[in-house]
Amino acid sequence: MIFAMEPASPYLQGKARLIVRLESPYQILATEFGLNELLGYTAEDVHGRPIQILQGPETDEIQLLSAIKQTALLRTTTLRTAFYERSGLGKLACVTFAPFHDNRKVLTGCMITVENLNEGRPSESFEEEICAKALISAEQSDIVQMINEDFIHMFGFSHREAIGESLRLIHGPRTEFSRWCKLFQAACAGEIVQDTVYTANRMGIEFPSAVTCLPVADPLKGRISHVLALFRRAAPDPVPAIRKSLLTDPSDLPPAPAHARPAYDGAPPSS
C-alpha cells in the first residue's frame, strides 16, 4: 500500500510527521520531511519499524499507545512525552495523534506530528519537568489511591494526607468543579482528555494546572477501574495577586479554603 503525504508546509517547519499502523506492533508506514532534522533518522531508517524505535526510558509508552488506539475511534490526542534521537539523546516533544485517511477516505493509520519542545533550550532535560500523578478510583467517588513524589512536591500533601481522600483536597475557591467532573467522566468513558483548571496546594495558594486524565482498565473486571490524573504547572508564577498580598496587607487575602493547613512553625507537636 502506498501512502501519499502532502509536502511540508511552512507551519510544519520544526516539526515532523509520520504514519503508523493502528495495530500492534504499530509499524511506521510513511514519514515526512522533518524527522531527520529533529531526531536524526532518515525515512529508510524507520520505514517498517515499530514506533518503539523512537522511544526510550523516559517515553510514556502507556500514554503513547493509548493515543494511537484512540485514533481508531476518530479521536485526536495531544500529549507531551520524550522521543529519542538516533544518537540516544532524549528530547521532550509535543506529540499529536490524529486519524489518517487515504485518498479513498478510508481510515488506514495514525498520523503522528512531533514538535520538539527543547528548541532553543538544549540544556533542558525531560527529567526537569514536574508531572504530578494521582491514581484515582473510578468506582469510589474520585478517591485518591496512589500519588507520586512530584504530587507531594507540587501540592504539599504527603502520602498519608492524600491517599484515601477525595481529589477535592487540591480544589480551591476558583476551581470549577463542573470542568473537573467533565474530565473525570470522560476518562471513565474511555477517553484521554485535557483541560486547564485551578488547583490549590496544602497552604491554600491557588494556581492553574494543566490536567490530563487517562482511563486505566482492569483486565480482570473488563472495565475502567481507575483514572490516572497528570498535573503540570500551567504558569511559571501562579496567582501573582496573592503573592503580592502576602507581602503587603494580610487583610486583603481571600478566605483560606477549608482544607488549608497552617504553616509548620518548627515547634514540636503537642502531646
Side-chain angles (χ1 to χ4, degrees):
M1 183 180 296
I2 298 176
F3 291 87
M5 299 184 68
E6 298 176 358
S9 57
Y11 83 91
L12 280 173
Q13 298 302 317
K15 301 182 182 180
R17 288 199 309 198
L18 55 151
I19 300 172
V20 302
R21 291 189 183 276
L22 296 175
E23 303 84 18
S24 180
Y26 308 106
Q27 294 169 305
I28 298 173
L29 302 174
T31 62
E32 189 183 53
F33 174 84
L35 190 64
N36 190 22
E37 286 71 18
L38 284 183
L39 299 176
Y41 287 100
T42 65
E44 291 75 17
D45 292 331
V46 300
H47 187 266
R49 304 285 298 277
I51 188 65
Q52 282 83 358
I53 191 175
L54 306 179
Q55 298 175 208
E58 298 298 333
T59 304
D60 195 327
E61 186 174 18
I62 294 176
Q63 285 196 66
L64 188 149
L65 297 183
S66 294
I68 293 176
K69 293 175 182 177
Q70 289 293 314
T71 61
L73 303 176
L74 303 181
R75 294 169 180 159
T76 298
T77 305
T78 299
L79 56 87
R80 290 189 290 181
T81 191
F83 270 12
Y84 282 72
E85 295 182 355
R86 186 171 185 174
S87 65
L89 177 65
K91 286 186 174 181
L92 179 61
C94 178
V95 189
T96 300
F97 303 79
F100 178 80
H101 299 82
D102 63 14
N103 294 333
R104 297 172 296 168
K105 307 301 181 183
V106 176
L107 179 65
T108 51
C110 169
M111 183 171 68
I112 301 177
T113 303
V114 184
E115 180 180 6
N116 178 24
L117 292 182
N118 287 341
E119 189 69 28
R121 298 171 291 168
S123 63
E124 181 176 339
S125 67
F126 178 74
E127 290 80 2
E128 292 172 346
E129 185 195 33
I130 293 178
C131 179
K133 298 182 181 181
L135 187 66
I136 309 160
S137 172
E139 303 169 345
Q140 298 179 13
S141 185
D142 73 0
I143 297 300
V144 177
Q145 296 192 341
M146 188 181 298
I147 60 174
N148 68 345
E149 290 300 316
D150 285 333
F151 186 95
I152 296 173
H153 295 155
M154 187 169 182
F155 296 106
F157 293 101
S158 67
H159 289 278
R160 184 176 60 181
E161 292 171 321
I163 294 174
E165 297 292 332
S166 166
L167 203 65
R168 296 190 188 190
L169 190 74
I170 60 170
H171 288 188
R174 284 189 284 181
T175 302
E176 296 182 49
F177 185 66
S178 60
R179 293 177 70 174
W180 169 249
C181 286
K182 289 180 180 178
L183 281 172
F184 189 76
Q185 291 168 0
C188 288
E191 298 183 36
I192 299 175
V193 286
Q194 296 174 312
D195 199 356
T196 300
V197 299
Y198 268 94
T199 55
N201 64 15
R202 190 177 187 273
M203 300 306 302
I205 297 176
E206 290 189 284
F207 51 89
S209 293
V211 183
T212 302
C213 289
L214 301 97
V216 179
D218 185 334
L220 297 179
K221 296 181 179 179
R223 63 175 182 269
I224 295 169
S225 58
H226 295 83
V227 171
L228 179 62
L230 313 179
F231 301 87
R232 296 179 176 89
R233 291 268 191 173
D237 186 21
V239 201
I242 290 182
R243 290 181 177 271
K244 182 178 179 181
S245 297
L246 290 171
L247 300 175
T248 55
D249 186 358
S251 64
D252 294 334
L253 284 171
H259 66 268
R261 269 75 164 180
Y264 177 60
D265 60 5
S270 58
S271 58

